[in-house]
Amino acid sequence: MIARVASFEGVNVQVAERTMDEAESIIRPMVEKLAGYQGHLELVASGGKVLSITLFGSEENAQAAEPAFDQEMPRQLGDLFKDWEGRRVSVDRYKVLAESRP
C-alpha cells in the first residue's frame, strides 16, 4: 500500500473546519473512483498546517491519480478551495509498513 501525503501551509483552519463536510461531499466521490483507492485522512493543525493522506494499492495507482489531485479536484472545489487560502508545499509518497484500524 502507498500513502500519498500532500502538505499544505497557511490554511485558514476556521474556514476549513466549517466547510470540510461540503468539501468532503465533493472530494469523496472523486477519489473513490481512482484506481487502487484504499481510503484517505484529512489532518489539520491549529497553526494552519494540513496533511491530506490518500491510500492506494500501488505506486502506479498513486502516480496515475496525480492529474485528479492537480487539476480535477481544484476545479470541482472551485471557490471553496480558494476560501481555505493556504498553499500546497509538498507531495510525497510513502510505502505503508504497518496499518491498524478497528
Side-chain angles (χ1 to χ4, degrees), residues 3 5-6 9 14 21 35 37 58 62-63 67 71 78 86-87 92 96 98 100:
V5 180
E9 292 181 352
Q14 292 172 330
D21 288 342
Y37 171 79
S58 70
Q63 287 178 341
Q71 299 161 15
R87 62 186 178 89
D92 297 297
V96 177
S100 176

Side-chain angles (χ1 to χ4, degrees), residues 27-98:
I27 294 167
R28 181 178 297 269
M30 187 191 78
V31 297
E32 287 179 347
K33 293 177 186 174
L34 297 172
Y37 171 79
Q38 306 232 336
H40 74 275
L41 297 167
E42 303 297 328
L43 309 174
V44 62
S46 60
K49 292 185 179 183
V50 172
L51 292 178
S52 179
I53 303 169
T54 309
L55 302 172
F56 291 95
S58 70
E59 177 71 26
E60 293 77 19
N61 293 147
Q63 287 178 341
E66 285 305 317
F69 291 105
D70 290 342
Q71 299 161 15
E72 187 177 347
M73 189 177 292
R75 183 179 52 75
Q76 287 191 23
L77 289 171
D79 290 337
L80 180 66
F81 191 70
K82 292 175 187 172
D83 290 343
W84 286 31
E85 300 170 3
R87 62 186 178 89
R88 187 173 70 184
V89 295
S90 68
V91 175
D92 297 297
R93 287 190 287 274
Y94 298 86
K95 185 175 184 178
V96 177
L97 297 180

Side-chain angles (χ1 to χ4, degrees), residues 7-19:
S7 301
F8 299 83
E9 292 181 352
V11 173
N12 183 325
V13 173
Q14 292 172 330
V15 172
E17 288 176 344
R18 187 176 68 244
T19 60

